[in-house]
Amino acid sequence: MMEFEEFFRHVSDHAPFPWQCSLARQLSTGCSLAVTVPTGLGKSAVIDAAVWAALAGGWRRIVFVVDRRLVVDEVHERALRIEAALRDKPELAVLHDKLGELQVVRLRGGLFGDDDWVLYPERLSIVLSTVDQVGSRLLGRGYGVSPRRWPLHAGFFSSRTLIVVDEAHLSSPFLHTLDTLRRSGADMTVLPMSATLHDKGENRLGLTAADHAHPLIAQRLGAHKFARLVAAADDDTRFSRQALVEAGTLGLGQAGRKLAIIVNRVATARSIHEALKKAGERSILLIGRSRNVDRERLLQGYLPELRSGRDRQADERPLCVVATQTVEVGADFDFDGIVSECASLSALRQRLGRLDRLGELGESRVVILHRSGKKADPVYGTEGHEAWEWLQRVAQDGVVDLGLAALDATLALNPAPFEKPAAVSTLLPAHLHLLAQSGPYAPRVEIAPWLHGPQRRQVDVTLVWRADLDEVAEDKWCECLAAMPPMRGESLDMPLPIVRRWMQGAARADETLSDMESSAAEEEGSRAPGDAWRMVRWRGPDDSQLVDLAEIRPGDTLVLPASRGGCDEWGWAPESREAVPDRAEDCRFALEGGRRATTLLLRLTPERISQYDDATKGLAGAVSAVRQARLELDASLEEDRDSAEVQWGETLAGLRAQISDSRNEWLQKFGRDYSLQFYPAGLLLRGSGVEEEEGILETGVAVPLAIHHADVARWTQALSGAHDDAGHLIAAAALHDKGKEEARMQVMLHGDVLAAAAGPILAKSAQRTPADRKAAYFASGLPRGFRHELASLLYANPQDALVRHLVGSHHGYGRPWFQPCADARADGAAMAVLGSGWVGQFGDQLAKYGLWGLAQREWLLRAADARASIEEAEGAKPCAR
């Protein structure tokens, strides 16, 4: 096997540090350890080490977790670089063949249907995420995930997984829970990383003599970072003014200077940024509470002049970055000077890791401002005040050197103030039994204490803004969203209490808002809804509803009309009443590589067309003509029908011709394989692809049942490999959809009684649009609540208990609950009721395999089912090894 040093050189074009080599070797043996290397010394290379160590046959999922809202993710960029090197460099071809395909996932929140990566068990996956997102999925309650998909995510994250917890001292409750899960059967290894771990019992990997002798490490360790301590005003207005004055002492506005002002709260950051704009200074605002699509647009233009290793030019345009804690972790920024609000000492050390990051300047300056009137901060409690008192004690004439080596020397003589770890909550076996229940009627379980401790905290909801909701009545909102489902890139995660206060009209709804995941919550106050506040709780096309303020729950995805405001180009903006730009198409047409063939969708309404580009503006008239012709056709009398149909056909042909001739980049992606669908706000251009409805993947391609069963069995064999229960999985795959033989279901799939009678027996329908499928469902007479999974058990009657469970649960129902069928005499309906024995059988399987073992088996079958469906939609392709 290629040595790690050689692998690292091929990926990064330079040699690794000694500690990085030691980490790779230890990981390859499967040993448990913790990394205590200081910031700025290449900790993101843990990803390189983990990928190389995976060659030894260990984990297939590498999950990097941090308790921060990130704006720039250095680890994500590094993971993409590894993926590109393995794919493109001939020298790494042998390693690529052995590792297989690699996928990189950024998981900053959950949205229904935006999680295709979970369908690829065979890929080596690198996932960059947060405590809430990873923890909720491991506990079977994935935030923002459809309850029917909870087992998929639990299986994915608990199977041959390495979980790296960065800045682990911030996440002691999460580490405690991970240890409980590991001892309870989850197949994972945990690697904490922090220079200030509270637990002294870990097998620790820090810097060795060889590291200290390395010239680059010596340069970074030896660089001086002189911090001047300044007492500041309490209130935001005067504090912001003072921060700008101190930035002036560091060269604000001078050519070549790249400065940062880092504060503890979003409101303070906005105040300073607005003041810089009024003063004419070149400035950007970085807060973690922003939409991915906006953040990436912003950083595309600014990151090259901020990242470490850049060529500093004295005549460059100056720039000031105003930020929150979001730049403390994962951001490869290199500032020439920093003004920082005082925080805990560990947070200050992280912030200073972005100052002269590579030690190239040798000497730099920072100003630390402390709000002197209060001993407790809403974000850091008393830890900021205690850090301030410690800094004053060790300072000389109000200045202290906080360079890496200098600070270590100071700490050796003056121990750091104690930062109390968060209290932990322990999972008990009874909790695991509750968490194992998912799908319909699953018990509600508050999981936040196991992720962040028993203290109150700000649990998030996910916000999405859509412009077309402003164009239709409320009762059409769910239909609009079903036509164009939300995607992760257009969403913004916000603490539920702050969203409630904003909707209730609080003047400053984010006064305590920070970018720390585990910050404590304020009292939520009244839950009385404002008269005007209505929104959609999105859980997928078949499970969404209008709700008001009082009905919001933790983890909800809430879709609002764009006219509500609350977000601008920088992120969360509670005082803004400007319409929020609708970014749905931007996200759908910019999916990261490795995704399945998600359906291409483009909304064609006069309002949306005007916002795309000049190449689409000419479509507005044609779209209006088509809508008008359709209305006239629907309202025409019998004697005028022929004329109306001619007019309809001519206007539709005219629109299609303009679409074909358009130079718009998005329209050109459709080619000629698309359909035009009416939805409440206008027209929808729908390409080919795969969609999920009622837990079933719809492809628009008719597939006979025998072929689908064979395809799923083949994929199950490919994905399960040497799994102990591979035979049971394959047996379940070969009969899982047998219940679709039910006569009414065949009428629905064929769309016609005569076609169903003529055969063949179908597993998949050729109907392309949700409207067509809904019409076929109502025409078939199939009763509401009919589950073909239960009919499969009735028709095939498998005797093996695991096979029965896998067949019954392969769409996320039956764990252990099913929704009742409207026709109690329908085939299989009797199994959905209490007393049928199904609940007891589920309990037996749970006792035998455990929460994660059972979820892993379901995951493999459901992934195989989905992969076969995707293959059938795209045309025959060989399955994975």
Side-chain angles (χ1 to χ4, degrees):
M1 185 173 74
M2 178 183 289
E3 291 297 322
F4 175 70
E5 291 85 344
E6 184 181 356
F7 168 72
F8 191 94
R9 283 182 182 275
H10 283 305
V11 171
S12 301
D13 297 324
H14 60 82
F17 291 145
W19 78 264
Q20 294 167 338
C21 297
S22 178
L23 173 63
R25 286 191 291 271
Q26 293 191 56
L27 286 178
S28 68
T29 66
C31 74
S32 178
L33 73 160
V35 174
T36 59
V37 173
T39 187
L41 297 181
K43 283 195 295 183
S44 62
V46 68
I47 299 298
D48 304 63
V51 170
W52 180 81
L55 289 164
W59 42 79
R60 296 299 293 172
R61 277 146 287 282
I62 301 166
V63 183
F64 193 95
V65 180
V66 64
D67 194 36
R68 281 289 188 275
R69 298 284 166 182
L70 302 183
V71 291
V72 183
D73 201 331
E74 179 186 1
V75 178
H76 178 252
E77 293 184 6
R78 191 174 199 105
L80 291 177
R81 190 162 63 244
I82 295 170
E83 189 272 336
L86 284 167
R87 183 185 64 242
D88 299 334
K89 290 196 173 184
E91 303 91 336
L92 299 179
V94 174
L95 270 67
H96 180 265
D97 289 344
K98 186 171 183 180
L99 285 170
E101 190 171 357
L102 186 149
Q103 67 177 0
V104 179
V105 177
R106 274 191 295 190
L107 178 59
R108 297 301 181 211
L111 277 179
F112 173 88
D114 201 8
D115 55 359
D116 309 321
W117 40 268
V118 80
L119 303 177
Y120 295 85
E122 81 282 12
R123 290 180 180 174
L124 177 62
S125 300
I126 302 175
V127 182
L128 302 316
S129 193
T130 64
V131 168
D132 275 342
Q133 293 304 326
V134 172
S136 66
R137 283 160 170 75
L138 277 168
L139 291 173
R141 288 297 183 273
Y143 288 152
V145 178
S146 165
R148 290 194 303 270
R149 294 176 74 88
W150 285 344
L152 289 178
H153 289 256
F156 179 93
F157 282 101
S158 67
S159 177
R160 299 174 65 188
T161 303
L162 171 68
I163 298 183
V164 181
V165 184
D166 196 15
E167 300 309 318
H169 62 280
L170 300 172
S171 306
S172 50
F174 180 55
L175 289 173
H176 178 76
T177 294
L178 289 179
D179 184 58
T180 301
L181 301 190
R182 185 180 53 79
R183 288 185 284 105
S184 300
D187 180 10
M188 60 192 188
T189 302
V190 180
L191 174 64
M193 293 202 304
S194 173
T196 55
L197 280 173
H198 298 292
D199 184 1
K200 304 297 183 182
E202 299 281 352
N203 173 25
R204 295 174 173 237
L205 174 65
L207 299 180
T208 64
D211 291 298
H212 285 280
H214 194 286
L216 291 180
I217 290 182
Q219 174 179 289
R220 298 178 195 183
L221 291 175
H224 298 285
K225 302 179 182 183
F226 293 110
R228 182 162 53 87
L229 310 181
V230 177
D234 292 336
D235 70 274
D236 252 18
T237 301
R238 289 190 294 164
F239 180 88
S240 299
R241 191 179 303 127
Q242 197 163 356
L244 292 174
V245 170
E246 296 301 339
T249 68
L250 299 180
L252 176 67
Q254 295 179 12
R257 297 291 285 174
K258 311 295 182 183
L259 304 181
I261 301 176
I262 305 174
V263 294
N264 298 345
R265 288 171 283 177
V266 173
T268 310
R270 276 201 170 271
S271 173
I272 294 172
H273 175 64
E274 290 300 322
L276 284 168
K277 284 172 57 180
K278 289 180 181 178
E281 296 290 348
R282 185 166 175 253
S283 169
I284 61 172
L285 175 66
L286 294 182
I287 57 176
R289 306 287 180 174
S290 60
R291 298 187 295 181
N292 290 348
V293 64
D294 296 329
R295 182 184 314 142
E296 290 174 3
R297 282 186 173 191
L298 170 68
L299 290 170
Q300 188 174 11
Y302 290 99
L303 192 55
E305 57 182 303
L306 295 172
R307 66 168 67 252
S308 64
R310 68 181 185 274
D311 183 17
R312 284 181 163 89
Q313 299 292 328
D315 59 349
E316 277 187 320
R317 295 175 66 194
L319 178 64
C320 184
V321 175
V322 185
T324 57
Q325 301 89 347
T326 192
V327 298
E328 291 177 10
V329 178
D332 189 24
F333 290 137
D334 190 358
F335 298 113
D336 301 321
I338 290 178
V339 175
S340 174
E341 183 173 358
C342 194
S344 66
L345 187 59
S346 60
L348 289 174
R349 293 174 74 174
Q350 288 297 120
R351 295 177 187 185
L352 267 64
R354 319 301 143 187
L355 176 65
D356 189 18
R357 189 162 173 79
L358 304 184
E360 294 173 334
L361 299 176
E363 186 174 301
S364 54
R365 298 287 187 274
V366 60
V367 177
I368 298 177
L369 297 174
H370 176 59
R371 301 184 193 235
S372 54
K374 296 180 181 178
K375 292 186 178 182
D377 178 87
V379 179
Y380 294 97
T382 61
E383 291 178 354
H385 183 75
E386 291 163 0
W388 176 256
E389 291 186 330
W390 182 87
L391 288 168
Q392 288 185 309
R393 288 197 302 272
V394 302
Q396 298 290 328
D397 298 323
V399 176
V400 56
D401 187 354
L402 296 180
L404 292 173
L407 180 56
D408 282 345
T410 301
L411 288 169
L413 299 174
N414 304 273
F418 178 70
E419 295 180 13
K420 184 179 179 180
V424 301
S425 298
T426 300
L427 272 167
L428 301 175
H431 298 139
L432 296 181
H433 278 277
L434 285 174
L435 293 169
Q437 300 177 44
S438 60
Y441 311 122
R444 291 188 60 186
V445 183
E446 175 54 63
I447 63 172
W450 295 310
L451 305 180
H452 301 285
Q455 67 273 15
R456 287 176 56 82
R457 65 173 301 275
Q458 295 179 331
V459 180
D460 282 352
V461 292
T462 297
L463 303 180
V464 176
W465 287 264
R466 285 294 180 84
D468 50 359
L469 300 192
D470 287 304
E471 302 171 25
V472 299
E474 285 183 6
D475 61 356
K476 299 295 184 183
W477 286 0
C478 290
E479 191 176 344
C480 281
L481 294 174
M484 172 72 87
M487 301 198 73
R488 180 60 203 158
E490 59 177 314
S491 68
L492 169 62
D493 295 333
M494 286 298 302
L496 175 52
I498 286 178
V499 169
R500 281 204 176 107
R501 288 201 296 273
W502 171 58
M503 292 181 178
Q504 290 166 344
R508 295 299 298 268
D510 63 351
E511 287 180 349
T512 62
L513 178 65
S514 74
D515 279 321
M516 294 178 68
E517 285 268 318
S518 54
S519 54
E522 294 289 300
E523 289 296 321
E524 295 181 8
S526 169
R527 294 193 178 193
D531 292 339
W533 278 101
R534 295 281 281 172
M535 65 212 84
V536 175
R537 176 192 284 130
W538 174 256
R539 291 177 177 169
D542 56 298
D543 187 19
S544 296
Q545 58 184 297
L546 280 171
V547 297
D548 60 29
L549 180 54
E551 297 173 284
I552 301 174
R553 297 292 180 264
D556 279 351
T557 295
L558 305 172
V559 188
L560 313 171
S563 62
R564 289 294 186 194
C567 181
D568 62 14
E569 62 181 315
W570 310 109
W572 175 243
E575 296 178 333
S576 172
R577 293 297 177 263
E578 295 292 323
V580 180
D582 185 329
R583 301 294 191 202
E585 279 82 6
D586 299 79
C587 297
R588 188 162 289 269
F589 284 87
L591 294 177
E592 296 175 3
R595 300 288 299 277
R596 66 168 164 83
T598 301
T599 303
L600 288 179
L601 299 171
L602 185 70
R603 292 167 295 173
L604 296 178
T605 71
E607 295 78 7
R608 295 298 300 153
I609 288 171
S610 65
Q611 298 176 24
Y612 294 147
D613 62 22
D614 291 339
T616 62
K617 288 181 179 178
L619 291 175
V623 168
S624 296
V626 166
R627 293 189 68 189
Q628 183 61 33
R630 179 57 183 263
L631 290 173
E632 292 176 0
L633 175 62
D634 292 343
S636 63
L637 300 175
E638 188 65 32
E639 58 267 25
D640 300 323
R641 189 75 177 176
D642 290 345
S643 175
E645 286 182 347
V646 169
Q647 180 66 22
W648 156 251
E650 288 177 351
T651 57
L652 188 60
L655 176 58
R656 286 184 174 277
Q658 289 197 38
I659 290 172
S660 298
D661 294 339
S662 176
R663 295 183 180 180
N664 175 265
E665 179 184 358
W666 290 345
L667 287 172
Q668 290 178 348
K669 289 181 181 292
F670 286 90
R672 296 185 179 277
D673 185 18
Y674 67 84
S675 61
L676 282 167
Q677 173 188 339
F678 283 87
Y679 86 114
L683 290 178
L684 189 73
L685 197 64
R686 178 181 294 275
S688 60
V690 181
E691 299 172 89
E692 183 173 344
E693 294 177 19
E694 296 280 355
I696 300 173
L697 289 183
E698 299 289 356
T699 64
V701 177
V703 180
L705 180 60
I707 291 177
H708 182 62
H709 273 162
D711 289 341
V712 177
R714 173 169 49 85
W715 271 102
T716 303
Q717 185 173 22
L719 297 182
S720 58
H723 193 284
D724 291 344
D725 284 312
H728 297 83
L729 290 163
I730 295 168
L735 56 86
H736 72 289
D737 272 352
K738 190 171 180 59
K740 290 183 177 180
E741 294 177 357
E742 203 270 350
R744 289 169 293 184
M745 191 157 200
Q746 282 301 300
V747 172
M748 182 186 76
L749 293 171
H750 281 275
D752 180 79
V753 174
L754 295 178
I761 295 175
L762 292 181
K764 299 288 182 181
S765 166
Q767 293 140 9
R768 291 286 294 271
T769 70
D772 290 340
R773 291 190 285 269
K774 183 176 290 187
Y777 166 73
F778 284 117
S780 71
L782 200 65
R784 184 68 181 172
F786 173 80
R787 296 308 312 174
H788 71 270
E789 305 97 293
L790 295 180
S792 296
L793 292 176
L794 179 67
Y795 297 166
N797 193 26
Q799 298 302 301
D800 182 84
L802 178 57
V803 172
R804 290 186 65 82
H805 172 80
L806 293 171
V807 171
S809 64
H810 80 269
H811 285 304
Y813 294 92
R815 310 189 81 253
W817 315 111
F818 286 96
Q819 292 174 322
C821 183
D823 179 1
R825 297 170 299 176
D827 290 345
M831 296 186 195
V833 300
L834 288 175
S836 68
W838 181 264
V839 173
Q841 179 180 302
F842 171 77
D844 292 342
Q845 296 303 297
L846 184 62
K848 182 175 182 179
Y849 297 107
L851 189 160
W852 299 281
L854 193 59
Q856 289 160 13
R857 286 160 174 81
E858 295 172 33
W859 166 53
L860 290 173
L861 175 61
R862 293 177 68 181
D865 191 7
R867 298 287 289 281
S869 298
I870 295 167
E871 176 188 86
E872 290 158 358
E874 297 176 340
K877 294 180 180 179
C879 64
R881 290 177 288 124

